[in-house]
């Protein structure tokens, strides 16, 4: 079984990890068409994931950001909403269903009873989980930038390198995407999203099969 993390931005990556930690992460880039993410190509890609054994996809929820204290304009917000909707639609069209019952506000209670709220469905059908940026960053140790966007990107890269010291996070074809570490924060984010999903499943397995 595989878990996939999706950073749904135009420059975002996707990363697939084996649930049993038996192999290396596999990265991909979103299929583009005319400057936009192609919906048809996304559906094909997700179906390929399904055929390869992906059963859980962790999709980052897109939210307007502030840059130097200024909220993003309507065009940027529209782009975020469109790319997120494209991935959610592709997942649904390919046969994935949103995991029910997951709510960070009830996280501890759900994990105590179910391992992970709603993720027990992974045993019977492929599901996807929508997580807010602040949620997965808190879980994966990427918080603490204090509103500094550059530092926020560096924290994502640092967390990914700490968890996966041997994984190449470089993306030299995207100069704007590079932090001072020489690594892609978008690539690191997809890796951490996938790892978050894998850890949630491991907790669920432990709760379902207590030793």
């Amino acid at each position: 079984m595989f878990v996939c993390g999706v950073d749904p931005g135009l420059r975002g990556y996707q990363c697939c990890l084996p649930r049993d930690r038996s192999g290396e992460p596999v990265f991909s880039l979103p299929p583009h068409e005319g400057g936009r993410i192609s919906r048809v190509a996304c559906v094909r890609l997700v179906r390929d994931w399904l055929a390869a054994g992906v059963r859980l996809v962790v999709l980052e929820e897109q939210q307007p950001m502030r840059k130097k204290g200024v909220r993003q304009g309507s065009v940027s917000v529209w782009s975020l909403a469109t790319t997120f909707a494209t991935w959610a639609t592709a997942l649904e069209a390919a046969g994935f269903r949103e995991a029910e019952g997951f709510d960070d506000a009830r996280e501890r209670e759900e994990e105590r009873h179910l391992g992970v709220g709603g993720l027990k469905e992974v045993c019977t059908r492929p599901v996807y989980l929508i997580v807010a940026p602040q949620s997965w960053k808190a879980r994966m140790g990427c918080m603490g930038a204090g509103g500094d966007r550059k530092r926020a990107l560096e924290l994502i890269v640092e967390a990914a390198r700490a968890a996966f010291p041997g994984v190449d996070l470089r993306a030299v074809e995207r100069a704007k995407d590079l932090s001072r570490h020489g690594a892609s924060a978008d690539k690191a984010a997809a890796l951490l999203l996938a790892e978050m999903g894998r850890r949630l499943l491991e907790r669920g397995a432990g709760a379902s099969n207590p030793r």
Side-chain angles (χ1 to χ4, degrees), residues 184-205:
S184 164
D186 288 330
K187 196 173 184 180
L191 177 60
L192 292 176
L193 285 163
E195 175 62 9
M196 172 188 156
R198 185 161 67 177
R199 292 180 185 182
L200 289 174
L201 289 179
E202 287 173 348
R203 291 182 191 178

mmCIF file of all heavy atoms in Angstrom, residues 184-205:
data_model
loop_
_atom_site.group_PDB
_atom_site.id
_atom_site.type_symbol
_atom_site.label_atom_id
_atom_site.label_comp_id
_atom_site.label_asym_id
_atom_site.label_seq_id
_atom_site.Cartn_x
_atom_site.Cartn_y
_atom_site.Cartn_z
ATOM 1 N N SER A 184 13.903 22.417 -2.751
ATOM 2 C CA SER A 184 12.563 22.882 -3.077
ATOM 3 C C SER A 184 11.636 22.732 -1.878
ATOM 4 O O SER A 184 11.419 21.626 -1.383
ATOM 5 C CB SER A 184 12.010 22.079 -4.251
ATOM 6 O OG SER A 184 10.622 22.246 -4.350
ATOM 7 N N ALA A 185 11.075 23.840 -1.426
ATOM 8 C CA ALA A 185 10.117 23.779 -0.322
ATOM 9 C C ALA A 185 8.829 23.095 -0.762
ATOM 10 O O ALA A 185 8.167 22.424 0.032
ATOM 11 C CB ALA A 185 9.820 25.181 0.197
ATOM 12 N N ASP A 186 8.453 23.254 -2.036
ATOM 13 C CA ASP A 186 7.259 22.588 -2.555
ATOM 14 C C ASP A 186 7.445 21.074 -2.545
ATOM 15 O O ASP A 186 6.546 20.314 -2.188
ATOM 16 C CB ASP A 186 6.958 23.056 -3.977
ATOM 17 C CG ASP A 186 6.433 24.475 -4.027
ATOM 18 O OD1 ASP A 186 5.777 24.893 -3.058
ATOM 19 O OD2 ASP A 186 6.676 25.167 -5.022
ATOM 20 N N LYS A 187 8.619 20.631 -2.947
ATOM 21 C CA LYS A 187 8.928 19.201 -2.960
ATOM 22 C C LYS A 187 8.955 18.645 -1.535
ATOM 23 O O LYS A 187 8.426 17.568 -1.250
ATOM 24 C CB LYS A 187 10.282 18.983 -3.635
ATOM 25 C CG LYS A 187 10.580 17.555 -4.063
ATOM 26 C CD LYS A 187 11.874 17.522 -4.876
ATOM 27 C CE LYS A 187 12.158 16.136 -5.410
ATOM 28 N NZ LYS A 187 13.428 16.111 -6.194
ATOM 29 N N ALA A 188 9.558 19.421 -0.628
ATOM 30 C CA ALA A 188 9.619 19.017 0.774
ATOM 31 C C ALA A 188 8.221 18.943 1.380
ATOM 32 O O ALA A 188 7.921 18.044 2.174
ATOM 33 C CB ALA A 188 10.487 19.997 1.556
ATOM 34 N N ALA A 189 7.345 19.883 1.010
ATOM 35 C CA ALA A 189 5.986 19.892 1.545
ATOM 36 C C ALA A 189 5.229 18.638 1.132
ATOM 37 O O ALA A 189 4.536 18.018 1.946
ATOM 38 C CB ALA A 189 5.242 21.137 1.065
ATOM 39 N N ALA A 190 5.339 18.235 -0.131
ATOM 40 C CA ALA A 190 4.657 17.024 -0.597
ATOM 41 C C ALA A 190 5.164 15.796 0.152
ATOM 42 O O ALA A 190 4.387 14.905 0.521
ATOM 43 C CB ALA A 190 4.870 16.853 -2.101
ATOM 44 N N LEU A 191 6.472 15.760 0.399
ATOM 45 C CA LEU A 191 7.060 14.642 1.137
ATOM 46 C C LEU A 191 6.527 14.584 2.563
ATOM 47 O O LEU A 191 6.162 13.507 3.068
ATOM 48 C CB LEU A 191 8.582 14.794 1.140
ATOM 49 C CG LEU A 191 9.400 13.762 1.921
ATOM 50 C CD1 LEU A 191 9.150 12.360 1.385
ATOM 51 C CD2 LEU A 191 10.889 14.103 1.846
ATOM 52 N N LEU A 192 6.434 15.730 3.213
ATOM 53 C CA LEU A 192 5.934 15.766 4.588
ATOM 54 C C LEU A 192 4.444 15.448 4.667
ATOM 55 O O LEU A 192 3.984 14.826 5.629
ATOM 56 C CB LEU A 192 6.213 17.134 5.205
ATOM 57 C CG LEU A 192 7.688 17.457 5.458
ATOM 58 C CD1 LEU A 192 7.836 18.883 5.970
ATOM 59 C CD2 LEU A 192 8.312 16.466 6.440
ATOM 60 N N LEU A 193 3.680 15.869 3.663
ATOM 61 C CA LEU A 193 2.260 15.521 3.629
ATOM 62 C C LEU A 193 2.077 14.006 3.543
ATOM 63 O O LEU A 193 1.234 13.422 4.233
ATOM 64 C CB LEU A 193 1.573 16.208 2.447
ATOM 65 C CG LEU A 193 1.307 17.705 2.594
ATOM 66 C CD1 LEU A 193 1.022 18.337 1.232
ATOM 67 C CD2 LEU A 193 0.135 17.952 3.542
ATOM 68 N N ALA A 194 2.872 13.361 2.687
ATOM 69 C CA ALA A 194 2.798 11.907 2.559
ATOM 70 C C ALA A 194 3.233 11.230 3.852
ATOM 71 O O ALA A 194 2.611 10.257 4.304
ATOM 72 C CB ALA A 194 3.668 11.441 1.393
ATOM 73 N N GLU A 195 4.290 11.742 4.461
ATOM 74 C CA GLU A 195 4.773 11.148 5.710
ATOM 75 C C GLU A 195 3.753 11.327 6.834
ATOM 76 O O GLU A 195 3.579 10.433 7.672
ATOM 77 C CB GLU A 195 6.099 11.793 6.102
ATOM 78 C CG GLU A 195 6.654 11.342 7.444
ATOM 79 C CD GLU A 195 6.965 9.853 7.528
ATOM 80 O OE1 GLU A 195 6.924 9.148 6.491
ATOM 81 O OE2 GLU A 195 7.232 9.375 8.647
ATOM 82 N N MET A 196 3.062 12.453 6.845
ATOM 83 C CA MET A 196 2.010 12.650 7.842
ATOM 84 C C MET A 196 0.935 11.571 7.682
ATOM 85 O O MET A 196 0.480 10.967 8.657
ATOM 86 C CB MET A 196 1.380 14.030 7.681
ATOM 87 C CG MET A 196 0.154 14.244 8.557
ATOM 88 S SD MET A 196 -0.713 15.782 8.189
ATOM 89 C CE MET A 196 -2.352 15.392 8.797
ATOM 90 N N GLY A 197 0.513 11.323 6.442
ATOM 91 C CA GLY A 197 -0.478 10.287 6.198
ATOM 92 C C GLY A 197 0.004 8.922 6.634
ATOM 93 O O GLY A 197 -0.747 8.133 7.233
ATOM 94 N N ARG A 198 1.273 8.632 6.356
ATOM 95 C CA ARG A 198 1.820 7.334 6.744
ATOM 96 C C ARG A 198 1.850 7.180 8.263
ATOM 97 O O ARG A 198 1.525 6.115 8.797
ATOM 98 C CB ARG A 198 3.229 7.175 6.164
ATOM 99 C CG ARG A 198 3.829 5.815 6.423
ATOM 100 C CD ARG A 198 4.977 5.506 5.491
ATOM 101 N NE ARG A 198 6.143 6.365 5.704
ATOM 102 C CZ ARG A 198 7.280 6.220 5.028
ATOM 103 N NH1 ARG A 198 7.375 5.296 4.081
ATOM 104 N NH2 ARG A 198 8.308 7.022 5.257
ATOM 105 N N ARG A 199 2.216 8.229 8.974
ATOM 106 C CA ARG A 199 2.244 8.163 10.441
ATOM 107 C C ARG A 199 0.849 7.997 11.019
ATOM 108 O O ARG A 199 0.657 7.279 12.007
ATOM 109 C CB ARG A 199 2.912 9.417 11.004
ATOM 110 C CG ARG A 199 4.397 9.502 10.697
ATOM 111 C CD ARG A 199 5.017 10.761 11.279
ATOM 112 N NE ARG A 199 6.407 10.902 10.877
ATOM 113 C CZ ARG A 199 7.204 11.898 11.269
ATOM 114 N NH1 ARG A 199 6.725 12.838 12.079
ATOM 115 N NH2 ARG A 199 8.465 11.961 10.859
ATOM 116 N N LEU A 200 -0.128 8.657 10.402
ATOM 117 C CA LEU A 200 -1.506 8.507 10.872
ATOM 118 C C LEU A 200 -1.983 7.071 10.702
ATOM 119 O O LEU A 200 -2.651 6.510 11.573
ATOM 120 C CB LEU A 200 -2.428 9.460 10.115
ATOM 121 C CG LEU A 200 -2.287 10.948 10.439
ATOM 122 C CD1 LEU A 200 -3.154 11.779 9.506
ATOM 123 C CD2 LEU A 200 -2.647 11.232 11.881
ATOM 124 N N LEU A 201 -1.626 6.455 9.576
ATOM 125 C CA LEU A 201 -2.008 5.067 9.349
ATOM 126 C C LEU A 201 -1.304 4.140 10.331
ATOM 127 O O LEU A 201 -1.890 3.159 10.795
ATOM 128 C CB LEU A 201 -1.678 4.652 7.909
ATOM 129 C CG LEU A 201 -2.554 5.260 6.821
ATOM 130 C CD1 LEU A 201 -2.092 4.784 5.449
ATOM 131 C CD2 LEU A 201 -4.016 4.911 7.026
ATOM 132 N N GLU A 202 -0.056 4.442 10.630
ATOM 133 C CA GLU A 202 0.675 3.613 11.592
ATOM 134 C C GLU A 202 0.043 3.701 12.980
ATOM 135 O O GLU A 202 -0.056 2.705 13.695
ATOM 136 C CB GLU A 202 2.140 4.059 11.643
ATOM 137 C CG GLU A 202 2.927 3.647 10.416
ATOM 138 C CD GLU A 202 4.331 4.222 10.390
ATOM 139 O OE1 GLU A 202 4.624 5.124 11.211
ATOM 140 O OE2 GLU A 202 5.131 3.776 9.556
ATOM 141 N N ARG A 203 -0.401 4.887 13.364
ATOM 142 C CA ARG A 203 -1.094 5.045 14.639
ATOM 143 C C ARG A 203 -2.395 4.256 14.639
ATOM 144 O O ARG A 203 -2.764 3.628 15.620
ATOM 145 C CB ARG A 203 -1.398 6.511 14.911
ATOM 146 C CG ARG A 203 -0.176 7.354 15.189
ATOM 147 C CD ARG A 203 -0.603 8.787 15.493
ATOM 148 N NE ARG A 203 0.531 9.677 15.520
ATOM 149 C CZ ARG A 203 0.438 10.995 15.730
ATOM 150 N NH1 ARG A 203 -0.751 11.539 15.912
ATOM 151 N NH2 ARG A 203 1.504 11.748 15.740
ATOM 152 N N GLY A 204 -3.085 4.322 13.496
ATOM 153 C CA GLY A 204 -4.338 3.589 13.380
ATOM 154 C C GLY A 204 -4.130 2.091 13.510
ATOM 155 O O GLY A 204 -4.897 1.392 14.166
ATOM 156 N N ALA A 205 -3.049 1.597 12.887
ATOM 157 C CA ALA A 205 -2.762 0.176 12.944
ATOM 158 C C ALA A 205 -2.442 -0.229 14.378
ATOM 159 O O ALA A 205 -2.843 -1.288 14.870
ATOM 160 C CB ALA A 205 -1.594 -0.164 12.020
#
